[in-house]
Amino acid sequence: MSSIAILIWVINVTLDTVGHVALKFAATADQQESTEIKRWKSMFGSFPLWVGIVCFCLEFVVWLAFLSVLSLSQGVLLGAINMVSIVIAGRLVFKERLDRMRLMGMALITIGVIFVGLYA
Amino acid sequence: MKKTRFYMIGFSALMLCDTLTQISFKLASNHGGDFVMHLDWFLSIFSQPWIYGAVLGYLGSFVAWMTLLKHAPVGPAFAASHLEVVLVLVVSAVYFGDRLAPMQIVGALLIVIGIICLSFSEAEQENVENH
């Protein structure tokens, strides 16, 4: 993998993880609203929601750049690391449960991504 | 029977939309050539139709995902939303002529098994929360 591909990959993982965490913050921040419409109104006024939207818009462009320097098959396989980073972020930020099956899944995906990345 | 058909159609729609998104991304990025941090690169990408295929695929995935989640258990839904990797690999081999090194094929298998483990964990967690 070229250094530019690695740089774009790291930016992509960062944007995806921050985007998901921000959306989770926005979705869970205010659960006191009486109706669904009020909840959405409140969400649209929240800073984390816009952080998430900006991250995903940027990710759209970054993913295009990533696929321009790698084949599609390698790109989607390397992109699987996003799942691992999001689970880790979920644990660190929201104290989400990490059971044995989840840890095994994360380990397998990480090893798989390393194999794909080493030969890309 | 009705439920089975709903799942089959829903999961297939989700995988197809996700795959359409990724293929459109690749075709769009091929048009621009290797990435360069220059306005011309972005303009060449956004001036041709495949980029809108990616947007359409995203919208389709979103609708399929939200419809599925209403009825389907989260574990299989999670797996279906990520196992488009398999379909993308097949399409990229057939359509783009991508070839993976033997170790990369091993890596791909590990990733797919890992995704299945994560979806089992999701399903288990939902069961715990429901009881």
Side-chain angles (χ1 to χ4, degrees):
Chain A
M1 252 169 102
S2 65
S3 49
I4 184 79
I6 294 171
L7 178 68
I8 298 171
W9 183 50
V10 171
I11 294 172
N12 177 262
V13 176
T14 309
L15 286 172
D16 199 56
T17 310
V18 173
H20 275 101
V21 170
L23 288 192
K24 176 81 175 169
F25 261 122
T28 55
D30 193 0
Q31 296 180 331
Q32 306 298 320
E33 300 292 351
S34 52
T35 65
E36 194 63 14
I37 295 174
K38 280 185 180 167
R39 194 173 83 88
W40 276 97
K41 267 188 183 169
S42 153
M43 268 202 302
F44 273 108
S46 77
F47 180 67
L49 181 88
W50 291 102
V51 171
I53 290 172
V54 168
C55 281
F56 287 125
C57 289
L58 289 174
E59 195 191 347
F60 188 91
V61 179
V62 170
W63 186 248
L64 274 168
F66 190 51
L67 288 186
S68 76
V69 292
L70 273 177
S71 70
L72 179 59
S73 46
Q74 290 176 345
V76 291
L77 290 171
L78 292 170
I81 201 69
N82 290 2
M83 281 179 259
V84 177
S85 65
I86 290 165
V87 174
I88 292 171
R91 173 70 189 166
L92 293 177
V93 181
F94 300 107
K95 309 281 177 247
E96 287 178 357
R97 205 167 60 96
L98 267 187
D99 58 23
R100 203 178 293 171
M101 193 62 102
R102 198 166 285 193
L103 285 170
M104 201 163 80
M106 288 165 68
L108 286 169
I109 292 172
T110 306
I111 297 167
V113 168
I114 290 170
F115 279 5
V116 174
L118 282 178
Y119 292 86
Chain B
M1 190 63 193
K2 241 182 175 178
K3 221 174 185 180
T4 312
R5 193 189 295 175
F6 169 80
Y7 289 159
M8 288 289 286
I9 294 172
F11 287 133
S12 306
L14 182 60
M15 284 184 80
L16 285 175
C17 287
D18 279 338
T19 307
L20 168 74
T21 307
Q22 294 305 334
I23 291 168
S24 301
F25 265 126
K26 183 60 187 173
L27 287 168
S29 66
N30 278 352
H31 192 82
D34 275 6
F35 171 71
V36 275
M37 195 63 192
H38 197 279
L39 187 65
D40 287 345
W41 187 86
F42 292 99
L43 287 178
S44 72
I45 296 264
F46 283 93
S47 64
Q48 43 81 46
W50 282 110
I51 196 72
Y52 304 102
V55 175
L56 205 70
Y58 261 142
L59 290 176
S61 300
F62 179 73
V63 172
W65 175 244
M66 296 313 280
T67 312
L68 263 177
L69 277 188
K70 219 172 176 181
H71 304 285
V74 72
F78 177 89
S81 71
H82 291 94
L83 284 177
E84 97 274 0
V85 168
V86 177
L87 196 55
V88 172
L89 287 180
V90 173
V91 173
S92 53
V94 174
Y95 189 69
F96 295 111
D98 285 0
R99 293 287 173 266
L100 293 173
M103 284 306 277
Q104 288 183 313
I105 294 172
V106 175
L109 284 173
L110 291 175
I111 290 170
V112 170
I113 299 169
I115 293 172
I116 293 168
C117 288
L118 285 185
S119 42
F120 273 122
S121 162
E122 294 283 337
E124 209 171 278
Q125 188 141 344
E126 196 192 41
N127 282 340
V128 169
E129 281 164 9
N130 287 342
H131 289 106

